[in-house]
Short mmCIF file of all heavy atoms in Angstrom, two decimals:
data_model
loop_
_atom_site.label_atom_id
_atom_site.label_comp_id
_atom_site.label_asym_id
_atom_site.label_seq_id
_atom_site.Cartn_x
_atom_site.Cartn_y
_atom_site.Cartn_z
N MET A 1 -1.13 -21.79 -9.50
CA MET A 1 -0.86 -20.51 -10.14
C MET A 1 -0.42 -19.54 -9.14
O MET A 1 -0.95 -19.42 -8.04
CB MET A 1 -2.04 -20.01 -10.77
CG MET A 1 -1.86 -18.83 -11.55
SD MET A 1 -3.35 -18.33 -12.49
CE MET A 1 -2.87 -16.70 -13.03
N ALA A 2 0.73 -18.88 -9.42
CA ALA A 2 1.23 -17.81 -8.49
C ALA A 2 0.61 -16.36 -8.87
O ALA A 2 0.43 -16.13 -10.11
CB ALA A 2 2.71 -17.70 -8.56
N TYR A 3 0.38 -15.69 -7.94
CA TYR A 3 -0.14 -14.26 -8.16
C TYR A 3 0.84 -13.28 -7.59
O TYR A 3 1.42 -13.50 -6.51
CB TYR A 3 -1.42 -14.07 -7.29
CG TYR A 3 -2.57 -14.94 -7.71
CD1 TYR A 3 -2.79 -16.22 -7.23
CD2 TYR A 3 -3.48 -14.48 -8.76
CE1 TYR A 3 -3.85 -16.98 -7.68
CE2 TYR A 3 -4.48 -15.30 -9.16
CZ TYR A 3 -4.71 -16.47 -8.58
OH TYR A 3 -5.79 -17.32 -9.03
N LEU A 4 1.10 -12.28 -8.37
CA LEU A 4 1.97 -11.17 -7.99
C LEU A 4 1.11 -10.03 -7.33
O LEU A 4 0.24 -9.57 -7.97
CB LEU A 4 2.86 -10.61 -9.05
CG LEU A 4 3.96 -9.63 -8.66
CD1 LEU A 4 4.90 -10.28 -7.75
CD2 LEU A 4 4.72 -9.28 -9.96
N ILE A 5 1.37 -9.74 -6.05
CA ILE A 5 0.48 -8.86 -5.42
C ILE A 5 1.21 -7.68 -4.70
O ILE A 5 2.51 -7.86 -4.51
CB ILE A 5 -0.32 -9.55 -4.18
CG1 ILE A 5 0.61 -10.36 -3.28
CG2 ILE A 5 -1.35 -10.54 -4.87
CD1 ILE A 5 0.35 -10.20 -1.84
N GLU A 6 0.54 -6.64 -4.38
CA GLU A 6 1.15 -5.60 -3.69
C GLU A 6 0.19 -5.29 -2.47
O GLU A 6 -0.99 -5.23 -2.48
CB GLU A 6 1.21 -4.34 -4.56
CG GLU A 6 1.88 -3.12 -3.89
CD GLU A 6 1.91 -1.89 -4.76
OE1 GLU A 6 1.96 -2.06 -5.99
OE2 GLU A 6 1.95 -0.82 -4.17
N PHE A 7 0.89 -5.08 -1.28
CA PHE A 7 0.13 -4.79 -0.03
C PHE A 7 -0.38 -3.45 0.00
O PHE A 7 0.38 -2.44 -0.30
CB PHE A 7 0.99 -5.14 1.22
CG PHE A 7 1.21 -6.61 1.34
CD1 PHE A 7 2.18 -7.24 0.77
CD2 PHE A 7 0.35 -7.26 2.18
CE1 PHE A 7 2.35 -8.62 0.93
CE2 PHE A 7 0.49 -8.66 2.35
CZ PHE A 7 1.54 -9.31 1.72
N ILE A 8 -1.63 -3.17 0.38
CA ILE A 8 -2.10 -1.79 0.53
C ILE A 8 -2.27 -1.45 1.91
O ILE A 8 -2.55 -0.36 2.38
CB ILE A 8 -3.43 -1.59 -0.32
CG1 ILE A 8 -4.46 -2.53 0.11
CG2 ILE A 8 -3.14 -1.53 -1.76
CD1 ILE A 8 -5.89 -2.33 -0.47
N LYS A 9 -2.14 -2.55 2.88
CA LYS A 9 -2.26 -2.48 4.30
C LYS A 9 -1.20 -3.42 4.87
O LYS A 9 -1.03 -4.44 4.20
CB LYS A 9 -3.58 -2.78 4.85
CG LYS A 9 -4.74 -1.81 4.50
CD LYS A 9 -6.05 -2.24 4.95
CE LYS A 9 -7.22 -1.45 4.46
NZ LYS A 9 -8.47 -2.00 4.94
N PRO A 10 -0.59 -3.19 6.04
CA PRO A 10 0.21 -4.13 6.57
C PRO A 10 -0.57 -5.42 6.97
O PRO A 10 -1.65 -5.45 7.27
CB PRO A 10 0.69 -3.48 7.86
CG PRO A 10 0.44 -2.07 7.74
CD PRO A 10 -0.72 -1.98 6.87
N ASP A 11 0.18 -6.64 6.65
CA ASP A 11 -0.40 -7.95 6.99
C ASP A 11 0.78 -8.88 7.22
O ASP A 11 1.89 -8.58 7.01
CB ASP A 11 -1.32 -8.25 5.85
CG ASP A 11 -2.34 -9.37 6.27
OD1 ASP A 11 -2.27 -9.88 7.45
OD2 ASP A 11 -3.36 -9.52 5.55
N GLU A 12 0.40 -10.15 7.52
CA GLU A 12 1.36 -11.25 7.77
C GLU A 12 1.11 -12.39 6.97
O GLU A 12 -0.04 -12.79 6.76
CB GLU A 12 1.29 -11.57 9.25
CG GLU A 12 2.39 -12.49 9.68
CD GLU A 12 2.38 -12.77 11.18
OE1 GLU A 12 2.14 -11.75 11.98
OE2 GLU A 12 2.54 -13.93 11.62
N VAL A 13 2.14 -12.90 6.30
CA VAL A 13 2.00 -14.13 5.45
C VAL A 13 3.11 -15.10 5.95
O VAL A 13 4.29 -14.82 5.90
CB VAL A 13 2.22 -13.83 3.98
CG1 VAL A 13 2.23 -15.06 3.10
CG2 VAL A 13 1.18 -12.90 3.49
N ASN A 14 2.71 -16.31 6.32
CA ASN A 14 3.58 -17.36 6.80
C ASN A 14 4.59 -16.91 7.74
O ASN A 14 5.70 -17.12 7.69
CB ASN A 14 4.34 -17.91 5.55
CG ASN A 14 3.41 -18.67 4.58
OD1 ASN A 14 2.40 -19.17 5.06
ND2 ASN A 14 3.79 -18.72 3.38
N GLY A 15 4.17 -16.05 8.77
CA GLY A 15 5.03 -15.61 9.84
C GLY A 15 5.86 -14.39 9.42
O GLY A 15 6.51 -13.81 10.39
N GLN A 16 5.90 -13.91 8.18
CA GLN A 16 6.56 -12.74 7.84
C GLN A 16 5.60 -11.50 7.77
O GLN A 16 4.43 -11.69 7.30
CB GLN A 16 7.16 -12.92 6.38
CG GLN A 16 8.35 -13.88 6.44
CD GLN A 16 9.60 -13.11 6.97
OE1 GLN A 16 9.69 -11.95 7.10
NE2 GLN A 16 10.67 -14.00 7.13
N LYS A 17 6.08 -10.41 8.33
CA LYS A 17 5.24 -9.19 8.25
C LYS A 17 5.57 -8.39 7.08
O LYS A 17 6.76 -8.22 6.79
CB LYS A 17 5.43 -8.36 9.61
CG LYS A 17 4.87 -9.13 10.78
CD LYS A 17 4.95 -8.34 12.02
CE LYS A 17 4.38 -9.11 13.24
NZ LYS A 17 4.36 -8.35 14.43
N TYR A 18 4.60 -7.88 6.40
CA TYR A 18 4.84 -7.09 5.20
C TYR A 18 4.10 -5.71 5.37
O TYR A 18 3.07 -5.63 6.06
CB TYR A 18 4.28 -7.77 4.02
CG TYR A 18 4.87 -8.99 3.66
CD1 TYR A 18 4.58 -10.31 4.09
CD2 TYR A 18 6.00 -8.98 2.80
CE1 TYR A 18 5.23 -11.41 3.80
CE2 TYR A 18 6.82 -10.17 2.56
CZ TYR A 18 6.43 -11.31 3.02
OH TYR A 18 7.19 -12.39 2.72
N GLU A 19 4.64 -4.66 4.90
CA GLU A 19 4.24 -3.35 5.06
C GLU A 19 3.51 -2.83 3.78
O GLU A 19 3.65 -3.49 2.68
CB GLU A 19 5.27 -2.36 5.41
CG GLU A 19 6.07 -2.66 6.65
CD GLU A 19 5.16 -2.60 7.95
OE1 GLU A 19 4.29 -1.58 7.87
OE2 GLU A 19 5.31 -3.42 8.72
N LYS A 20 2.87 -1.73 3.88
CA LYS A 20 2.20 -1.17 2.65
C LYS A 20 3.27 -0.98 1.56
O LYS A 20 4.36 -0.39 1.82
CB LYS A 20 1.53 0.19 3.02
CG LYS A 20 0.87 0.81 1.92
CD LYS A 20 0.23 2.12 2.36
CE LYS A 20 -0.40 2.88 1.16
NZ LYS A 20 -1.05 4.12 1.53
N GLY A 21 2.97 -1.29 0.36
CA GLY A 21 3.84 -1.10 -0.74
C GLY A 21 4.77 -2.26 -1.11
O GLY A 21 5.33 -2.26 -2.21
N ASP A 22 4.90 -3.20 -0.23
CA ASP A 22 5.65 -4.42 -0.44
C ASP A 22 4.91 -5.27 -1.55
O ASP A 22 3.69 -5.32 -1.56
CB ASP A 22 5.78 -5.21 0.76
CG ASP A 22 6.72 -4.64 1.82
OD1 ASP A 22 7.48 -3.65 1.46
OD2 ASP A 22 6.76 -5.07 2.98
N SER A 23 5.72 -5.89 -2.30
CA SER A 23 5.15 -6.85 -3.37
C SER A 23 5.65 -8.33 -3.06
O SER A 23 6.71 -8.46 -2.48
CB SER A 23 5.55 -6.40 -4.71
OG SER A 23 6.93 -6.39 -4.93
N LEU A 24 4.86 -9.29 -3.49
CA LEU A 24 5.10 -10.65 -3.12
C LEU A 24 4.44 -11.43 -4.15
O LEU A 24 3.45 -11.17 -4.62
CB LEU A 24 4.62 -10.89 -1.67
CG LEU A 24 4.75 -12.28 -1.06
CD1 LEU A 24 6.24 -12.60 -0.86
CD2 LEU A 24 4.05 -12.38 0.20
N SER A 25 4.95 -12.67 -4.33
CA SER A 25 4.30 -13.71 -5.17
C SER A 25 3.75 -14.77 -4.26
O SER A 25 4.47 -15.34 -3.41
CB SER A 25 5.34 -14.37 -6.16
OG SER A 25 4.76 -15.28 -6.98
N VAL A 26 2.43 -15.03 -4.37
CA VAL A 26 1.80 -15.96 -3.43
C VAL A 26 0.90 -17.04 -4.28
O VAL A 26 0.70 -16.76 -5.40
CB VAL A 26 0.89 -15.31 -2.44
CG1 VAL A 26 1.74 -14.36 -1.59
CG2 VAL A 26 -0.17 -14.49 -3.12
N GLY A 27 0.70 -18.13 -3.56
CA GLY A 27 -0.18 -19.06 -4.20
C GLY A 27 -1.70 -18.71 -4.04
O GLY A 27 -2.00 -17.74 -3.44
N GLY A 28 -2.56 -19.55 -4.60
CA GLY A 28 -3.94 -19.34 -4.68
C GLY A 28 -4.69 -19.20 -3.38
O GLY A 28 -5.51 -18.38 -3.22
N SER A 29 -4.34 -20.05 -2.42
CA SER A 29 -5.04 -20.01 -1.16
C SER A 29 -4.67 -18.79 -0.25
O SER A 29 -5.53 -18.24 0.30
CB SER A 29 -4.80 -21.31 -0.36
OG SER A 29 -3.45 -21.46 -0.03
N ILE A 30 -3.36 -18.38 -0.29
CA ILE A 30 -2.99 -17.29 0.38
C ILE A 30 -3.53 -15.94 -0.24
O ILE A 30 -4.03 -15.07 0.39
CB ILE A 30 -1.43 -17.11 0.50
CG1 ILE A 30 -0.89 -18.37 1.36
CG2 ILE A 30 -0.99 -15.88 1.10
CD1 ILE A 30 0.54 -18.44 1.39
N TYR A 31 -3.51 -15.97 -1.55
CA TYR A 31 -4.06 -14.84 -2.42
C TYR A 31 -5.53 -14.65 -2.00
O TYR A 31 -5.99 -13.52 -1.72
CB TYR A 31 -3.95 -15.17 -3.83
CG TYR A 31 -4.72 -14.16 -4.81
CD1 TYR A 31 -4.06 -12.90 -4.98
CD2 TYR A 31 -5.99 -14.41 -5.24
CE1 TYR A 31 -4.69 -11.96 -5.85
CE2 TYR A 31 -6.66 -13.43 -6.07
CZ TYR A 31 -5.87 -12.24 -6.33
OH TYR A 31 -6.63 -11.28 -7.14
N ALA A 32 -6.37 -15.71 -1.92
CA ALA A 32 -7.78 -15.62 -1.57
C ALA A 32 -7.95 -15.10 -0.16
O ALA A 32 -8.80 -14.21 0.02
CB ALA A 32 -8.38 -17.01 -1.73
N THR A 33 -7.19 -15.49 0.82
CA THR A 33 -7.22 -15.00 2.14
C THR A 33 -6.90 -13.50 2.23
O THR A 33 -7.65 -12.84 2.87
CB THR A 33 -6.31 -15.79 3.13
OG1 THR A 33 -6.61 -17.23 2.99
CG2 THR A 33 -6.41 -15.40 4.46
N LEU A 34 -5.86 -13.17 1.57
CA LEU A 34 -5.42 -11.73 1.65
C LEU A 34 -6.44 -10.89 0.92
O LEU A 34 -6.73 -9.75 1.34
CB LEU A 34 -4.02 -11.56 1.05
CG LEU A 34 -2.90 -12.22 1.77
CD1 LEU A 34 -1.61 -12.04 1.01
CD2 LEU A 34 -2.74 -11.51 3.10
N LYS A 35 -6.95 -11.32 -0.19
CA LYS A 35 -7.93 -10.56 -0.98
C LYS A 35 -9.30 -10.38 -0.07
O LYS A 35 -9.79 -9.31 -0.10
CB LYS A 35 -8.32 -11.37 -2.24
CG LYS A 35 -9.06 -10.45 -3.23
CD LYS A 35 -8.09 -9.47 -3.92
CE LYS A 35 -8.77 -8.78 -5.02
NZ LYS A 35 -8.05 -7.80 -5.68
N ALA A 36 -9.59 -11.42 0.60
CA ALA A 36 -10.77 -11.33 1.53
C ALA A 36 -10.57 -10.35 2.66
O ALA A 36 -11.50 -9.59 3.11
CB ALA A 36 -11.12 -12.67 2.12
N ASN A 37 -9.30 -10.31 3.14
CA ASN A 37 -8.97 -9.34 4.21
C ASN A 37 -8.92 -7.94 3.71
O ASN A 37 -8.97 -7.03 4.49
CB ASN A 37 -7.61 -9.66 4.86
CG ASN A 37 -7.67 -11.02 5.57
OD1 ASN A 37 -8.66 -11.53 5.89
ND2 ASN A 37 -6.45 -11.52 5.92
N GLY A 38 -8.77 -7.73 2.40
CA GLY A 38 -8.64 -6.35 1.85
C GLY A 38 -7.35 -5.70 2.09
O GLY A 38 -7.26 -4.53 2.06
N THR A 39 -6.30 -6.50 2.13
CA THR A 39 -4.95 -5.96 2.42
C THR A 39 -4.08 -6.00 1.13
O THR A 39 -2.89 -5.52 1.25
CB THR A 39 -4.29 -6.71 3.56
OG1 THR A 39 -4.15 -8.07 3.15
CG2 THR A 39 -5.07 -6.58 4.85
N ILE A 40 -4.50 -6.39 0.05
CA ILE A 40 -3.68 -6.42 -1.17
C ILE A 40 -4.49 -5.91 -2.35
O ILE A 40 -5.65 -5.67 -2.37
CB ILE A 40 -3.31 -7.86 -1.45
CG1 ILE A 40 -4.52 -8.74 -1.70
CG2 ILE A 40 -2.34 -8.43 -0.41
CD1 ILE A 40 -4.10 -10.15 -2.41
N LYS A 41 -3.69 -5.59 -3.40
CA LYS A 41 -4.24 -5.36 -4.73
C LYS A 41 -3.44 -6.19 -5.70
O LYS A 41 -2.20 -6.51 -5.46
CB LYS A 41 -4.22 -3.90 -5.05
CG LYS A 41 -2.84 -3.21 -5.29
CD LYS A 41 -2.90 -1.87 -5.75
CE LYS A 41 -1.46 -1.28 -5.95
NZ LYS A 41 -1.54 0.07 -6.42
N ASP A 42 -3.93 -6.45 -6.88
CA ASP A 42 -3.21 -7.24 -7.94
C ASP A 42 -2.07 -6.20 -8.42
O ASP A 42 -2.31 -5.06 -8.60
CB ASP A 42 -4.11 -7.53 -9.04
CG ASP A 42 -5.10 -8.54 -8.63
OD1 ASP A 42 -4.80 -9.48 -7.89
OD2 ASP A 42 -6.24 -8.46 -9.11
N PHE A 43 -0.87 -6.83 -8.48
CA PHE A 43 0.27 -6.00 -8.89
C PHE A 43 0.28 -5.89 -10.34
O PHE A 43 0.18 -6.87 -11.07
CB PHE A 43 1.50 -6.72 -8.40
CG PHE A 43 2.86 -5.90 -8.63
CD1 PHE A 43 3.17 -4.84 -7.85
CD2 PHE A 43 3.62 -6.25 -9.67
CE1 PHE A 43 4.23 -4.08 -8.07
CE2 PHE A 43 4.79 -5.53 -9.97
CZ PHE A 43 5.11 -4.44 -9.18
N VAL A 44 0.45 -4.63 -10.87
CA VAL A 44 0.52 -4.36 -12.27
C VAL A 44 1.88 -3.64 -12.49
O VAL A 44 2.08 -2.53 -11.99
CB VAL A 44 -0.68 -3.46 -12.78
CG1 VAL A 44 -0.45 -3.24 -14.20
CG2 VAL A 44 -1.91 -4.16 -12.44
N GLU A 45 2.78 -4.24 -13.30
CA GLU A 45 4.03 -3.61 -13.57
C GLU A 45 3.89 -2.49 -14.60
O GLU A 45 3.03 -2.58 -15.51
CB GLU A 45 4.97 -4.66 -14.19
CG GLU A 45 5.44 -5.70 -13.23
CD GLU A 45 6.55 -6.56 -13.76
OE1 GLU A 45 7.45 -6.05 -14.40
OE2 GLU A 45 6.46 -7.78 -13.60
N ALA A 46 4.56 -1.45 -14.29
CA ALA A 46 4.55 -0.33 -15.31
C ALA A 46 5.14 -0.62 -16.56
O ALA A 46 6.27 -1.28 -16.61
CB ALA A 46 5.21 0.91 -14.63
N LYS A 47 4.46 -0.33 -17.69
CA LYS A 47 5.04 -0.70 -19.01
C LYS A 47 5.83 0.49 -19.45
O LYS A 47 5.48 1.79 -19.31
CB LYS A 47 3.84 -0.89 -19.95
CG LYS A 47 3.18 -2.12 -19.59
CD LYS A 47 2.06 -2.38 -20.63
CE LYS A 47 1.23 -3.57 -20.30
NZ LYS A 47 0.11 -3.75 -21.18
N PRO A 48 7.07 0.33 -19.90
CA PRO A 48 7.85 1.47 -20.48
C PRO A 48 7.19 2.12 -21.71
O PRO A 48 6.66 1.41 -22.48
CB PRO A 48 9.24 0.86 -20.83
CG PRO A 48 8.95 -0.64 -21.08
CD PRO A 48 7.69 -0.99 -20.12
N LYS A 49 7.30 3.42 -21.67
CA LYS A 49 6.75 4.20 -22.76
C LYS A 49 7.76 4.22 -23.88
O LYS A 49 8.90 4.41 -23.73
CB LYS A 49 6.41 5.54 -22.35
CG LYS A 49 5.30 5.65 -21.27
CD LYS A 49 4.97 7.11 -20.87
CE LYS A 49 3.92 7.14 -19.86
NZ LYS A 49 3.59 8.52 -19.48
N VAL A 50 7.22 3.99 -25.17
CA VAL A 50 8.08 3.95 -26.35
C VAL A 50 8.00 5.34 -26.99
O VAL A 50 6.90 5.89 -27.25
CB VAL A 50 7.58 2.93 -27.28
CG1 VAL A 50 8.45 2.95 -28.63
CG2 VAL A 50 7.69 1.51 -26.67
N LYS A 51 9.10 5.98 -27.23
CA LYS A 51 9.16 7.27 -27.76
C LYS A 51 9.40 7.14 -29.32
O LYS A 51 10.58 6.73 -29.68
CB LYS A 51 10.19 8.15 -27.12
CG LYS A 51 9.95 8.50 -25.68
CD LYS A 51 10.98 9.34 -25.07
CE LYS A 51 10.72 9.65 -23.65
NZ LYS A 51 11.78 10.63 -23.07
N GLY A 52 8.46 7.53 -30.06
CA GLY A 52 8.65 7.62 -31.50
C GLY A 52 9.21 6.34 -32.09
O GLY A 52 9.62 5.43 -31.45
N LYS A 53 9.34 6.34 -33.41
CA LYS A 53 9.95 5.23 -34.10
C LYS A 53 11.31 5.71 -34.79
O LYS A 53 11.54 6.84 -35.22
CB LYS A 53 9.08 4.69 -35.15
CG LYS A 53 7.95 3.91 -34.54
CD LYS A 53 7.13 3.13 -35.43
CE LYS A 53 6.09 2.36 -34.83
NZ LYS A 53 5.31 1.55 -35.70
#
């Protein structure tokens, strides 16, 4: 299962450096490692607001 994440601190994944605010889709093992490091948060897409009917 892939997880869509957003970095809250700079970190490195598979040799690539990511900065705060970057988003990425990662697998379960990388997700667990980054979550344990405290460098990510689960990415939540903004839902568009519906104006009236």
Side-chain angles (χ1 to χ4, degrees):
M1 180 177 173
Y3 295 90
L4 189 57
I5 53 133
E6 182 179 334
F7 288 86
I8 57 174
K9 297 179 185 175
D11 204 347
E12 187 173 318
V13 176
N14 294 333
Q16 288 280 350
K17 294 184 180 184
Y18 294 92
E19 299 297 323
K20 179 180 177 180
D22 291 345
S23 59
L24 180 68
S25 181
V26 296
S29 61
I30 295 173
Y31 174 82
T33 302
L34 293 172
K35 195 73 167 173
N37 291 347
T39 57
I40 62 165
K41 69 175 180 177
D42 294 321
F43 184 80
V44 179
E45 290 188 45
K47 295 180 182 177
K49 293 182 181 179
V50 178
K51 294 184 180 181
K53 289 187 176 182

